[in-house]
Amino acid sequence: MEQVDKQEGTGVATTPADDPWYEAVPSAGVTYEEATAHGAGPADGVPRQRAHSAAEIYLEVQRSPAFQEVRRRYRRFVFPATLAFLLWYLAYVVAATAAPGLMARPVAGAVNVAMIAGLGQFLTTFLLTWAYARHARLRRDRAALELRWDTQEMTRGVAPR
């Protein structure tokens, strides 16, 4: 276990960095080792709970239905959107190489089909970015924030809501 030195009043006490009671160790001349020698918790006398490791907590969160739902919503948007954009991009590249006559056809003055399609690539990128941000805000952000909050609570040794 990693150890860190923590300044407590006049003396220095060694405190484990992953201890959920790290900030609650009494400072009235009592070292961390003295406070925890008999299994006591912080100064208020609450018994210490077994702290789960970060790996255990994150595996538990990953297996939770809430996390799986957030991932499912993410995949349902990202995979089709990525596929559609890649197909659109490849169609542009293939048309530029396989049908140069079509791409060189003028639309208005010096503007040709290739220029319109190229500008369409930029427009598609901006629209896809907007759609992704909207989807994240409406379908995933709240659930992801709740998961984050629960995970932080668990890492502090507090049961999730």
Side-chain angles (χ1 to χ4, degrees):
M1 184 181 317
E2 180 183 344
Q3 300 284 321
V4 273
D5 290 334
K6 180 175 180 184
Q7 186 69 31
E8 292 287 339
T10 58
V12 175
T14 304
T15 306
D18 60 349
D19 183 0
W21 298 108
Y22 179 76
E23 294 298 327
V25 173
S27 60
V30 180
T31 66
Y32 176 82
E33 290 77 17
E34 292 169 348
T36 59
H38 302 291
D44 62 7
V46 175
R48 292 180 50 99
Q49 299 174 358
R50 180 188 171 274
H52 295 285
S53 72
E56 290 172 329
I57 290 169
Y58 288 109
L59 283 174
E60 181 180 334
V61 169
Q62 184 181 15
R63 292 179 187 126
S64 72
F67 180 83
Q68 296 302 321
E69 179 64 20
V70 169
R71 294 299 297 167
R72 186 184 65 77
R73 289 178 184 178
Y74 172 79
R75 285 187 211 109
R76 282 184 54 190
F77 179 85
V78 169
F79 290 154
T82 301
L83 181 64
F85 184 79
L86 285 175
L87 288 174
W88 161 230
Y89 175 74
L90 289 175
Y92 174 72
V93 172
V94 168
T97 57
L102 171 70
M103 298 299 272
R105 182 172 293 152
V107 175
V111 177
N112 60 20
V113 173
M115 294 174 96
I116 298 293
L119 290 173
Q121 292 286 317
F122 285 102
L123 179 62
T124 304
T125 302
F126 290 121
L127 286 174
L128 191 57
T129 302
W130 170 81
Y132 176 81
R134 183 175 186 275
H135 179 268
R137 185 180 68 247
L138 296 176
R139 307 256 190 258
R140 293 190 328 266
D141 285 353
R142 183 178 309 261
L145 187 60
E146 287 175 9
L147 272 171
R148 180 180 177 191
W149 181 257
D150 291 344
T151 304
Q152 289 178 348
E153 295 277 320
M154 291 168 72
T155 59
R156 290 186 182 104
V158 179
R161 292 179 275 140

